[in-house]
Each structure stands twice: as C-alpha cells, then as structure tokens.
Amino acid sequence: MLNLLCAVYKSSKKVDTYLYVPGRDDFSRVPEPLMKMFGAPRFIMIMPIKKDRTLGQVDIQTLRDELTKNGFYLQLPPPEENLLKQHLAAQVPKD
C-alpha cells in the first residue's frame, strides 16, 4: 500500500469542518455546491496518509478510500450533545 499525501483545509464558513484533497489546492474533483457551502478553504497542512497513523475523527482507511474514489474527503464536526435532554432523561424515575 502506497503512502499518499493529502492537503487539509479548514472551512471559512462551517465550524470544525475540514476538507482533505490529494494535493495542495487540488479542488478539481470537489463538487461546486460543496465548495460554496465550505467557503474559502484555509490551508492547514500537507500530511502523509500512513497505514499506521491515527487521526482524531477520521479513520485512515476511510480517508484513503474516499480520496481514491471521490478525490476528496469532507470531515464534519461530531453531533452536538444535548446536555439538557440527557439531564432530563436521567431525572425520569425508572420503574
């Protein structure tokens, strides 16, 4: 399995949203509606995608597969926790 390089960009419009592309400034395979939603990409870094590397919110194999198949990978933020809902659910007496 070859080691790939990818460029990582942060969205200027969406909080905690990142776009991974196979080369710096290579948005050729990213759909135009996605680029409009993403806003002006802010370059973060170039990084190798190694089999033994771990990333916080991205599975390396998924990243490799998406870059190969689609030419990009969009990382969205995790869903927000509804702490009030969790608190209220904990208050309900269990029979």
Side-chain angles (χ1 to χ4, degrees):
M1 192 179 280
L2 296 173
N3 285 332
L4 300 173
L5 291 177
C6 75
V8 184
Y9 294 85
K10 184 174 185 168
S11 173
S12 60
K13 289 186 175 180
K14 302 286 184 180
V15 176
D16 296 331
T17 301
Y18 297 88
L19 184 63
Y20 297 75
V21 292
R24 186 162 184 169
D25 298 331
D26 181 7
F27 304 105
S28 60
R29 294 181 61 196
V30 181
E32 186 61 33
L34 174 58
M35 289 304 299
K36 286 182 181 179
M37 178 277 308
F38 193 78
R42 295 183 180 155
F43 178 73
I44 302 294
M45 69 176 142
I46 296 278
M47 69 173 204
I49 307 171
K50 297 180 181 178
K51 185 178 175 182
D52 60 346
R53 185 177 187 140
T54 57
L55 298 173
Q57 295 182 27
V58 180
D59 174 70
I60 288 293
Q61 191 58 50
T62 300
L63 178 58
R64 291 177 71 95
D65 293 347
E66 290 296 314
L67 285 174
T68 302
K69 179 181 167 187
N70 299 321
F72 69 94
Y73 176 78
L74 180 66
Q75 177 185 322
L76 299 171
E80 288 187 32
E81 291 183 71
N82 186 332
L83 299 178
L84 177 59
K85 185 176 180 179
Q86 290 176 7
H87 172 72
L88 293 175
Q91 302 303 312
V92 175
K94 296 181 182 178
D95 296 329

